[in-house]
Amino acid sequence: MVKDLEKREFADRFWNHCEGVESSEGRWANGKGQFEYLANPQPLGPEPHPPQPDPKLHGTPKDR
């Protein structure tokens, strides 16, 4: 069952990534279950530093 694969410590949390707290009043923050609203969530790990992509992957000319 899919619920068995859930990360329970994160499944019922709403992480606010917007300025202000208006998102706590949205229908997505008040659903059928009990949600924990995190007004100011903190990163769970270090900031990732992915490698630069190959410029040939993008069609945007350099002069733009």
Side-chain angles (χ1 to χ4, degrees):
M1 183 173 196
V2 175
K3 280 212 173 254
D4 296 335
L5 301 174
E6 284 184 354
K7 291 286 195 178
R8 295 301 314 152
E9 65 269 26
F10 305 112
D12 296 329
R13 291 185 179 170
F14 182 86
W15 293 41
N16 179 34
H17 292 287
C18 301
E19 292 182 18
V21 294
E22 290 83 13
S23 60
S24 67
E25 300 168 9
R27 64 182 174 154
W28 50 85
N30 301 301
K32 290 182 178 181
Q34 293 294 107
F35 287 92
E36 178 184 1
Y37 179 79
L38 300 175
N40 188 20
Q42 298 302 307
L44 298 175
E47 183 176 347
H49 298 284
Q52 289 292 321
D54 184 337
K56 294 182 268 180
L57 294 174
H58 305 282
T60 306
K62 287 186 177 189
D63 61 336
R64 288 192 176 183

